[in-house]
Amino acid sequence: MGEFMDEQKLADAREVVIAGKLMLEGYTISKPLTGSSRYDLIAEKDGKMAKIQVKSLKLDSAYEDNEDRVYKLEAYSLNPTTKKKNLYSEKEVDIIVGYNHNNGYFAAIPLASFAGRYSCVVHTTAGKTRNEFMNTWKALDDFMNENKEKNEYTKAFLEGMLDAAESELHILNEIKKQSYGIIHETDPLVVRIKETEDFLKKYGREV
């Protein structure tokens, strides 16, 4: 029980340290109220959010005479009863952050970089595997910028659709004016005009 508590305290301390580092980077940090959540922290900045899982960053014993060069980071949870490893999915976690209590090193790695594997290595030597993620927030910055680009693209695409809808509405109304006789509410032209007007109103365009 004591050993479990020690591990739990270390895990809690890792989350606090990483949360503090992120706050110093300008992020607003939130933590789920339930321990069953698949992520440990939410990092938010400028309306964009990333789900973060915090893990231990350990020297990789697979490398002989490691001498503080290669670290390993895991991307799974362990069922306490069955001991089964459960990988995190991209719907559950965006970034895995590892922290080493002994030297204060941290590594922030995109979940996609694990490519479905249970763990991956990160080197401290420049130019080596995943060194760009060691002691930097590159993965998180890239994730946030990617989301920003997607949002800007979506916004531009919507504006284009609204412009096209306004032009279409003008043409439809001209056709309606030139129509002779009474047009019933169920007429395809009237229905299309109503749908176009509703679309424009929904996104704040005047009709």
Side-chain angles (χ1 to χ4, degrees), residues 74-127:
E74 297 168 342
Y76 65 86
S77 61
L78 191 66
N79 187 303
T81 304
T82 64
K83 304 301 180 184
K84 180 182 177 181
K85 296 178 179 179
N86 297 310
L87 287 168
Y88 298 108
S89 74
E90 292 187 6
K91 291 183 178 180
E92 298 169 330
V93 175
D94 300 310
I95 308 289
I96 303 285
V97 178
Y99 179 73
N100 187 290
H101 285 290
N102 295 324
N103 55 25
Y105 285 1
F106 73 92
I109 299 179
L111 184 66
S113 186
F114 289 83
R117 297 186 298 269
Y118 289 111
S119 65
C120 72
V121 297
V122 53
H123 290 241
T124 60
T125 304

Side-chain angles (χ1 to χ4, degrees), residues 169-203:
L169 182 61
H170 175 73
I171 294 171
L172 291 172
N173 281 323
E174 287 298 316
I175 294 173
K176 184 181 177 183
K177 288 178 183 178
Q178 295 172 17
S179 299
Y180 296 99
I182 299 175
I183 301 178
H184 195 270
E185 291 181 353
T186 59
D187 186 281
L189 176 63
V190 176
V191 172
R192 183 58 184 169
I193 288 174
K194 179 65 166 57
E195 290 176 346
T196 306
E197 287 178 343
D198 288 344
F199 173 68
L200 290 167
K201 288 177 182 177
K202 181 179 178 180
Y203 293 101

Side-chain angles (χ1 to χ4, degrees), residues 58-76:
K58 305 172 184 177
L59 277 170
D60 192 340
S61 59
Y63 287 77
E64 295 182 5
D65 302 322
N66 197 333
E67 294 182 0
D68 204 30
R69 290 194 303 257
V70 185
Y71 287 77
K72 182 170 72 172
L73 188 56
E74 297 168 342
Y76 65 86

